[in-house]
Amino acid sequence: MDTGGLTVAGGASIDSAWRLMGEVAGLPRHIVSPGYDEAMSMLCARFPLRVHDFRSGREHSGWVVPPGWVCEEAFVENGKGDCLLHTDSHPLCIASYSPPYDGYVDRAALSNSVIRNHRHPEEPPFLFYYYDRQWKFGAGYGFDEVLAADSSEKFRVNIRSRDYEGNLKVAEWFLPGETGKEFIISTHLCHPFQVNDGLSGVITGLLLMQWLSGLERRRYSYRLLIGPETIGSVCWLDKHRSIANNALGGIFLEMTALPQRAALQR
């Protein structure tokens, strides 16, 4: 990415933001997780963000904050002990929020529990089961050939995951304007190990706010929200209804690193 040394208010360069995106991208940023908390801490260390916590199990506008989730390891072995899928090979091969499991399944059960990415032979899709808790694996469409070539009748599935009571975190950056009206800019930090779907919008929003902070005058106020997609916005809006009612409008930023012109989807 050639940024030509472009800088924004406060002296932060686009290059430094690009490096920050690279540092955060590899973290397991599940909705409530140590990886997400670490990513949030990295952003807070560089930008003036205020963090709101929403406890696991609490209901907000009909949505219940899920527990924290950690997966230490997940794999599938054939009858000979050969590994067919493993989180060491690709961290997205296990669906987010899969419950722990250690046992043997037959070929049909395994095939039904592995969701294929029909666009790529090797890369798994991003899968999540925050509320419909079930274990699933992800794989490229090449997994069909792997399974067809394997004569095993039983396959071992091992998922070493655990839940814990944690806090869903939403970060906020507010810049006051001359009027009482504001615009809300929303982004999402979840979607583990991914950049364009979410994280690129976070970085774009931060750079936008930094540019706005350098203006001598602002007619309107601007508020940036960074949280888990959908439920993060729901939790924040549930606690700040008066602010939302006073907003002139809002925009949700994502997919901003695509190598094409920006598009507005209403």
Side-chain angles (χ1 to χ4, degrees), residues 32-200:
V32 181
S33 65
Y36 181 96
D37 292 348
E38 182 179 353
M40 186 65 80
S41 295
M42 293 171 68
L43 298 182
C44 289
R46 291 166 171 82
F47 300 94
L49 300 172
R50 174 191 177 193
V51 178
H52 304 268
D53 290 327
F54 302 90
R55 198 65 176 164
S56 294
R58 301 288 176 84
E59 181 179 333
H60 297 277
S61 297
W63 290 64
V64 178
V65 178
W69 184 79
V70 176
C71 183
E72 298 176 358
E73 183 184 36
F75 61 83
V76 176
E77 292 179 341
N78 65 10
K80 299 179 181 180
D82 299 324
C83 189
L84 305 184
L85 294 171
H86 200 291
T87 46
D88 284 347
S89 299
H90 202 300
L92 289 181
C93 78
I94 186 66
S96 185
Y97 275 75
S98 290
Y101 184 86
D102 188 6
Y104 290 85
V105 298
D106 59 27
R107 177 180 298 271
L110 176 62
S111 182
N112 291 334
S113 297
V114 178
I115 310 301
R116 277 67 149 187
N117 180 355
H118 297 292
R119 296 183 177 182
H120 200 282
E122 298 179 358
E123 301 293 330
F126 171 49
L127 304 169
F128 49 90
Y129 295 91
Y130 307 132
Y131 300 103
D132 181 20
R133 300 298 297 276
Q134 54 182 306
W135 64 262
K136 294 286 185 181
F137 282 82
Y141 62 76
F143 183 76
D144 289 327
E145 296 181 4
V146 173
L147 197 58
D150 198 300
S151 60
S152 302
E153 295 183 0
K154 294 289 185 178
F155 299 84
R156 184 190 176 193
V157 174
N158 185 276
I159 303 170
R160 294 170 54 208
S161 64
R162 61 180 175 85
D163 292 352
Y164 68 94
E165 187 175 347
N167 289 313
L168 180 151
K169 291 181 168 55
V170 178
E172 175 185 355
W173 185 353
F174 179 70
L175 294 173
E178 296 174 347
T179 70
K181 296 294 184 179
E182 70 176 71
F183 287 93
I184 297 176
I185 304 159
S186 181
T187 65
H188 70 87
L189 185 60
C190 56
H191 292 200
F193 311 107
Q194 296 172 79
V195 172
N196 210 19
D197 191 0
L199 181 56
S200 65

